[in-house]
Amino acid sequence: MRRHHDDEVHEDEIHEHDRGLSYDLPVLARRRMIRLMAGVGAGLAPLVGCSADDTSSPSASAAGSASSAECATVPEETAGPYPGDGSNGVNVLKESGVVRGDITGSFGDSAGGTAEGVPLTFTLTVVDAASGCGTPKRGAAVYVWHCDREGGYSLYTEGVADENYLRGVQETDDRGRVTFTSVFPGCYPGRWPHIHFEVYGSLADATTATAITSTSQLALPKDVCDAVYATEGYEGSVDNLGRLSLESDSVFRDGHDQQLAVVKGSVVEGYTATLTIAV
């Protein structure tokens, strides 16, 4: 079932694509109930998300650590108003060229533009939650998309509606991994910096936009966002981020342990981000 749209809340007005908090409440309530049930009963360990590979950095500590006995399915989140998967207008998943690792540029008959910004390479590892996060999902597929440094989404936002950059699909390898080369997304009003993703059972499912296994979002750590947004081209993100926190964000406010990526690097050399996704 398709998830509701992003809560893109401006300070003084509701974004035209916003469907309202009433659409968020069913998802948020289900997630809170899962957490409540997980803590009931003596001797039951709390459920936390599967951790990324490296837990040595401050961002890694923020993401939490998890053993195979502490594994929960990644929370279901909104696909937002700009998915490009056919659920809200255009379907980029059926276009030749969408299966790719470098998503910085547009492909096919699009305008041919390239998204500018601080380089970001992110790796998502898809694992089987039923196995305690111990078994990789080989041959699954992941579709990712995010905004550019100005906060616009290709295919939808005025000025980049003819582009399809910052979107791509890959099949998971034997370790359940997909890696995308991109740029660091900006922060637009009302939403914490994030990357959308949909997990499919196979590449065939993804390229026909059928049978989505999971829809969720990756959150980016504040210290890294602050460093990136101090650079040229991200000026608009500074004030937007200053009005937000992970705890106040409409998607991440009810918990982000399973969605906060481990990020390393610098604005000079670029960043790498990792996240393990249990489905």
Side-chain angles (χ1 to χ4, degrees), residues 80-225:
Y82 314 117
D85 61 1
S87 63
N88 187 24
V90 64
N91 190 343
V92 74
L93 293 173
K94 294 185 177 181
E95 294 185 16
S96 176
V98 72
V99 181
R100 59 190 186 143
D102 188 340
I103 62 174
T104 54
S106 290
F107 62 91
D109 297 328
S110 292
T114 299
E116 302 293 334
V118 173
L120 173 67
T121 299
F122 59 97
T123 298
L124 305 177
T125 302
V126 184
V127 296
D128 181 18
S131 72
C133 290
T135 303
K137 286 279 192 179
R138 303 178 181 90
V142 183
Y143 167 45
V144 301
W145 71 99
H146 64 82
C147 71
D148 58 25
R149 68 180 178 183
E150 287 82 24
Y153 282 87
S154 66
L155 302 176
Y156 294 92
T157 303
E158 184 178 358
V160 295
D162 292 331
E163 305 289 352
N164 57 22
Y165 56 48
L166 307 182
R167 300 177 184 273
V169 178
Q170 283 197 71
E171 183 178 34
T172 59
D173 62 17
D174 287 345
R175 301 176 70 183
R177 294 184 173 184
V178 292
T179 298
F180 293 93
T181 301
S182 189
V183 296
F184 204 93
C187 179
Y188 53 85
R191 278 307 319 277
W192 189 262
H194 61 283
I195 296 173
H196 292 269
F197 61 86
E198 291 174 344
V199 181
Y200 292 81
S202 68
L203 189 59
D205 286 344
T207 53
T208 55
T210 58
I212 298 173
T213 300
S214 180
T215 302
S216 195
Q217 298 179 26
L218 173 155
L220 293 161
K222 184 180 187 303
D223 58 340
V224 179
C225 292

